[in-house]
């Protein structure tokens, strides 16, 4: 009787299964994260609230200037910038987008779903990269629609003797794109901050403190060397540089965008480091 081992035939289904490659794994993670993202009701509610706030505030502010233009003094009229006036809502809308980004990850931590995500995909950096990529694309689309709609509606209220602008004006188009970039980077900052704190309430509170409270506090400091090298580089003031007419103490738009992106990268690095070392 012959001796030895006999190879067991591989099942046909297993033999035909395509090999897992980094590309196929990445596509699978993106598909999974997109399903979760689009089904997150709090995200769409926050985006809708931000849109309504932005459009409504732009409309009200521009309507106010239109109705009382004849009562303004010559100096106020000379320093009137229609683009800045209709985009002033961005100082608050950034909080909506920061919260939107935080919700992408803190909701999973709140429900415990994040554990299942990491069991299905142990490559945690890949999960975080997929969330950031999808949020960046979706966030920019939502931001561009929000800023454009608010700008157009606001400018439609400025007519006659009141200076107004259109998107055909390169300065206006640049301000709208800058505002959309600002909101997108804020959303990504909120995402990575959410990874750090794993709590929606704490993440939103931190965003509120950094973007709203901190600028007010430090702006009252003596405007010396320290002030000039710190205050203009706060995230909110960097965002201000991306859409507002240039003010003397502000950073120019290009370095402002790069510095704000650096904030996002540093926060992402810190979040990734914690994501690798702690449990779900």
């Amino acid at each position: 009787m012959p001796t030895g081992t006999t190879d067991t035939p591989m099942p046909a289904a297993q033999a035909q299964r395509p090999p897992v490659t980094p590309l196929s794994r990445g596509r699978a993670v993106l598909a999974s994260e997109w399903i979760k993202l689009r089904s997150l009701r709090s995200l769409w509610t926050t985006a809708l609230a931000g849109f309504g706030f932005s459009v409504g505030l732009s409309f009200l502010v521009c309507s106010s200037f239109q109705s009382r233009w004849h009562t303004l003094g010559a100096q106020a009229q000379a320093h009137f910038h229609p683009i800045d006036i209709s985009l002033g809502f961005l100082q608050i809308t950034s909080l909506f987008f920061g919260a939107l980004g935080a919700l992408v990850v803190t909701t999973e931590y709140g429900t415990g779903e994040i554990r299942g995500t990491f069991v299905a995909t142990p490559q945690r950096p890949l999960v975080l990269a997929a969330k950031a990529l999808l949020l960046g694309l979706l966030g920019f689309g939502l931001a561009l629609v929000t800023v454009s709609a608010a700008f157009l509606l606001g400018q439609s209220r400025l007519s006659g003797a009141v200076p107004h602008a259109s998107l055909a004006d390169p300065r206006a188009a640049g301000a709208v794109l800058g505002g959309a970039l600002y909101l997108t980077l804020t959303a990504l900052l909120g995402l990575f901050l959410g990874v750090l704190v794993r709590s929606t309430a704490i993440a939103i509170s931190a965003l509120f403190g950094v973007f709203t409270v901190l600028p007010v506090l430090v702006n009252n400091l003596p405007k010396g060397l320290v002030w000039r090298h710190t205050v203009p580089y706060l995230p909110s003031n960097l965002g201000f540089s991306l859409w507002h007419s240039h003010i003397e103490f502000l950073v120019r738009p290009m370095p402002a965008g790069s510095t704000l992106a650096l904030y996002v990268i540093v926060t992402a690095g810190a979040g990734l480091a914690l994501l690798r070392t702690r449990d779900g």
Side-chain angles (χ1 to χ4, degrees):
M1 179 180 296
T3 60
T5 59
T6 303
D7 293 334
T8 303
M10 183 180 295
Q14 185 177 351
Q16 296 175 0
R17 182 181 300 169
V20 178
T21 64
L23 182 60
S24 64
R25 182 181 294 113
R27 283 200 300 260
V29 174
L30 280 173
S32 174
E33 291 300 324
W34 173 240
I35 292 173
K36 288 188 288 186
L37 190 64
R38 71 187 185 193
S39 62
L40 190 60
R41 286 182 293 179
S42 57
L43 183 145
W44 299 108
T45 301
T46 304
L48 184 60
F51 179 87
F53 171 84
S54 304
V55 171
L57 186 59
S58 181
F59 178 84
L60 290 174
V61 171
C62 291
S63 296
S64 174
F65 274 97
Q66 171 67 28
S67 64
R68 59 189 179 89
W69 178 256
H70 63 283
T71 66
L72 298 178
Q75 185 176 5
Q77 291 183 357
H79 289 86
F80 180 80
H81 298 287
I83 298 173
D84 298 342
I85 293 299
S86 63
L87 295 181
F89 63 86
L90 284 166
Q91 298 179 77
I92 303 299
T93 305
S94 58
L95 295 177
F96 285 95
F97 274 77
L100 184 150
L103 286 168
V104 171
V105 65
T106 56
T107 301
E108 282 196 73
Y109 278 113
T111 60
E113 185 182 356
I114 195 71
R115 297 186 184 90
T117 298
F118 290 151
V119 168
T121 309
Q123 298 84 4
R124 296 186 178 191
L126 181 60
V127 173
L128 186 58
K131 288 182 182 294
L133 176 60
L134 292 173
L135 176 64
L137 294 174
L138 179 62
F140 184 75
L142 292 173
L144 192 58
V145 169
T146 298
V147 179
S148 299
F151 172 81
L152 292 172
L153 183 61
Q155 292 303 313
S156 71
R157 295 295 301 144
L158 302 176
S159 59
V162 184
H164 48 281
S166 71
L167 287 177
D169 185 340
R171 293 175 300 172
V176 168
L177 287 173
L181 176 62
Y182 173 42
L183 295 181
T184 305
L185 290 173
T186 305
L188 289 170
L189 191 62
L191 169 69
F192 297 123
L193 186 61
V195 174
L196 286 172
V197 300
R198 299 192 291 184
S199 165
T200 303
I202 297 176
I204 294 176
S205 297
L207 287 166
F208 181 81
V210 170
F211 279 82
T212 304
V213 178
L214 184 60
V216 175
L217 294 177
V218 300
N219 195 49
N220 293 321
L221 296 174
K223 292 179 172 56
L225 183 64
V226 174
W227 191 95
R228 289 197 304 270
H229 288 84
T230 55
V231 174
Y233 295 94
L234 294 176
S236 56
N237 285 335
L238 292 170
F240 199 70
S241 299
L242 291 175
W243 62 267
H244 200 277
S245 298
H246 183 65
I247 297 178
E248 185 178 354
F249 75 84
L250 290 179
V251 183
R252 301 300 298 181
M254 189 66 72
S258 301
T259 307
L260 189 57
L262 184 61
Y263 272 99
V264 175
I265 292 171
V266 170
T267 309
L272 183 59
L274 279 180
L275 201 63
R276 287 177 177 273
T277 57
R278 67 187 178 189
D279 295 333

